């Protein structure tokens, strides 16, 4: 009974601290009249994926159960954070999906160059490539074709296409296409063919870099699994883990767990690359006389 009361007290203390943190955060002043707004905390909770919320609830239940059985109050906080945080810290970053999108972009650019060699216009060529577009960028190309069919200007549709790709290499492809749409000169197909080869080389380089970055992530994942297994086995050894049952031992255990989580976060931060800056942005659209020079500067860079 004493262990259950201690566990409940620890859960209430943790909930109180979380509530205090949220209560002390500055909130925007709402007008006295007008429609009611949903509280910021509820809005943030709604943005959390359902899977994450279910994992947090399961981790909380497991933490309370462990605290009741062992008397370790730190489990009420540590286990939910581990259940939610470890998958996020150890999973592969989004670079792999971005590399696949760039590879698809290179293939699409090569297909577009092949269609242009037949002698059709740029808009017709863009529409014709929709059927053969690779899946990773098919939504973006479909939106581009839909805008062209809706009588958007070619430049505006391509600028929106670049925003949806949200990548410096995508800006480069869009810049070439915008210059080709403005000047309507010959040779765009050969230029796009060379650009496709350049993007393919970029994809190869990024794959090599990502393979090197995956090695420390795999090492951290293996070490974490081994550590969790050893801790689980040692938990059944009451004599070895007895010092951590004291209040001082609980505090030391919390510090050690926090240090380990901070190390994993630091390792993940080091393994994530910084994206290249874009040069076709919504804040600074190239227009008219200066736009050709801006686009050419982006192409040369």
């Amino acid at each position: 009974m004493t262990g259950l009361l201690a566990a409940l007290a620890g859960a209430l203390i943790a909930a109180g601290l979380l509530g205090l943190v949220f209560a002390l955060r500055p909130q925007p002043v709402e007008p006295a009249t007008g429609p009611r707004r949903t509280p910021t905390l509820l809005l943030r909770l709604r943005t959390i994926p359902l899977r994450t919320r279910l994992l947090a609830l399961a981790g909380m239940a497991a933490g309370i159960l462990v605290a009741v059985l062992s008397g370790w109050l730190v489990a009420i906080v540590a286990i939910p954070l581990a259940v939610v945080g470890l998958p996020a810290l150890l999973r592969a970053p989004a670079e792999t999906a971005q590399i696949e999108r760039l590879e698809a972009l290179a293939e699409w650019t090569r297909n577009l160059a092949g269609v242009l060699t037949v002698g059709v216009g740029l808009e017709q060529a863009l529409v014709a490539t929709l059927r053969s577009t690779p899946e990773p960028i098919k939504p973006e190309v479909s939106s581009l074709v839909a805008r062209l069919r809706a009588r958007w200007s070619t430049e505006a549709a391509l600028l929106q296409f670049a925003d949806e790709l949200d990548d410096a290499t995508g800006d480069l492809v869009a810049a070439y296409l915008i210059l080709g749409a403005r000047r309507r000169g010959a040779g765009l197909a050969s230029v796009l063919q060379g650009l496709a080869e350049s993007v393919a080389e970029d994809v190869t380089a990024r794959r090599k870099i990502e393979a090197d970055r995956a090695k420390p992530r795999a090492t951290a994942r293996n070490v974490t699994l081994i550590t969790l297994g050893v801790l689980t086995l040692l938990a059944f050894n009451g004599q070895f883990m007895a010092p951590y049952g004291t209040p001082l031992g609980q505090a030391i255990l919390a510090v050690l767990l926090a240090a380990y989580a901070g190390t994993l976060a630091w390792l993940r931060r080091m393994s994530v690359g910084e994206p290249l800056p874009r040069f076709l942005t919504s804040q600074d659209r190239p227009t008219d006389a200066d736009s050709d020079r801006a686009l050419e500067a982006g192409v040369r860079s």
Side-chain angles (χ1 to χ4, degrees), residues 10-11 13-15 18 59-60 63-64 72-83:
I13 291 173
L18 290 176
M60 180 65 70
I64 294 176
W72 289 14
L73 300 182
V74 70
I76 300 175
V77 179
I79 292 180
L81 292 178
V83 170

Side-chain angles (χ1 to χ4, degrees), residues 203-242:
V203 170
T204 302
R206 291 197 187 192
R207 285 194 183 279
K208 293 180 180 178
I209 294 173
E210 183 59 24
D212 291 336
R213 287 174 176 167
K215 295 176 183 178
R217 287 199 300 268
T219 302
R221 189 180 301 110
N222 294 334
V223 171
T224 301
L225 293 176
I226 293 172
T227 303
L228 291 176
V230 171
L231 290 177
T232 303
L233 293 176
L234 291 178
F236 295 99
N237 188 345
Q239 184 178 2
F240 184 85
M241 302 298 289

Side-chain angles (χ1 to χ4, degrees), residues 8 23 41 47 75 80 84 135 141 181 189-190 199 223 242 252 261-262 291:
L8 291 177
L41 178 58
T47 59
V84 176
E135 286 299 327
V141 177
S190 61
V199 175
V223 171
I252 294 175
S291 58

Side-chain angles (χ1 to χ4, degrees), residues 22 49 66 70 82 102 109 143 145 150 195 209 227 244 255 265 273:
F22 282 108
V66 171
S70 65
L102 288 181
T109 306
S143 299
V145 172
L195 178 60
I209 294 173
T227 303
Y244 292 106
V255 171

Side-chain angles (χ1 to χ4, degrees), residues 134-204:
E135 286 299 327
I137 62 168
K138 194 157 190 176
E140 290 81 4
V141 177
S142 299
S143 299
L144 171 61
V145 172
R147 293 186 185 98
L148 292 175
R149 288 174 174 170
R151 305 300 181 184
W152 281 42
S153 67
T154 305
E155 180 175 346
L158 288 171
L159 287 172
Q160 189 66 30
F161 175 66
D163 281 345
E164 291 176 351
L165 290 176
D166 194 21
D167 186 83
T169 305
D171 283 356
L172 186 61
V173 174
Y176 273 110
L177 294 176
I178 291 173
L179 290 175
R182 290 179 180 177
R183 298 181 178 180
R184 300 292 175 177
L188 180 59
S190 61
V191 171
L192 290 179
Q193 186 67 34
L195 178 60
E197 295 176 359
S198 177
V199 175
E201 293 176 357
D202 184 22
V203 170
T204 302

